[in-house]
Amino acid sequence: MVDFHSHFLFDIDDGAKDIEMSLAMLNMSTKQGVTTIVSTPHYYADAAKPHVAIAARDENIEELIAYAKQENIIIPEIKRGFEVRVKKHLYEIEDFSELCIENTKTILLEMPLKEWDEELLDVIEFVKTEKRLDIVIAHFERYVDRIPNDLLLKLLEKNLYIQINAGSLVKRDKLDFICELFRNGMAHVIGSDAHNMNSRCSLMDIGYAYIRRNLGQEYIDKIEANAKKLLNL
Ligand SMILES: [Fe+2]
């Protein structure tokens, strides 16, 4: 199982508070059947240069892997990435490879929860066509009911990859919509978007169970295949 989106790194964004929580989150992921997890701390282009964010992230991951080894806890394979907020400041970034998930041309982009406009969609077009990256839009379902439908449709028409949060599948009002996206080939990968061990913990196993029950095993297979393709696994 691939968890495409997680904030398990400690003391770096609004995710895990300390290294113990990070390890507990990874331990929980392993128990749920996650074998590969993408570390996706938030990245805001107006707050830090990529190399500064990369240094902080990589130091954090190395410390965490060493700690897991010391504590004899099996953790999923970690892939280094970011959850990059779509802002006009992205125009200033030369080398996008640093913001992609390691060894890929895949970038996880996050939209704001309100105030979308055409200019924001232009930034996505820039990343897609000028930088020639495979774009994954984080937790698309979170924008529905908050963003005008015409803008949501324009985003979908860009034929990007769509990531869904596992925890959204347990919400009655979201489940039917998400299943419809998968049936129409408009959703592609699942992430936990886990931030902690309680209110925003990983629900990957439950999310997969909902997909299996509502859509069938073939969709689980498709999701896993999509994730592996995007991660070059
Ligand atoms: Fe996130």
Side-chain angles (χ1 to χ4, degrees), residues 5-7 40 42 83 108 110 138-139 142 193 195 200:
H5 178 167
S6 178
H7 300 270
T40 53
H42 292 285
E83 179 177 17
L108 181 68
E110 177 193 39
H139 42 60
R142 286 185 70 189
D193 198 9
H195 283 67
R200 298 184 77 182

Side-chain angles (χ1 to χ4, degrees), residues 41-99:
H42 292 285
Y43 177 76
Y44 303 103
D46 51 340
K49 295 281 183 207
H51 72 272
V52 175
I54 288 165
R57 179 198 65 190
D58 290 358
E59 191 183 324
N60 190 309
I61 291 175
E62 271 155 39
E63 203 176 324
L64 189 47
I65 289 173
Y67 187 53
K69 201 173 270 179
Q70 182 197 308
E71 297 293 310
N72 239 341
I73 290 178
I74 297 167
I75 60 172
E77 182 185 2
I78 296 171
K79 292 288 177 193
R80 297 159 193 238
F82 287 107
E83 179 177 17
V84 178
R85 174 62 67 90
V86 176
K87 288 173 176 270
K88 62 180 187 320
H89 304 83
L90 288 177
Y91 288 123
E92 293 155 25
I93 291 179
E94 279 287 310
D95 185 5
F96 268 75
S97 67
E98 298 178 306
L99 298 177

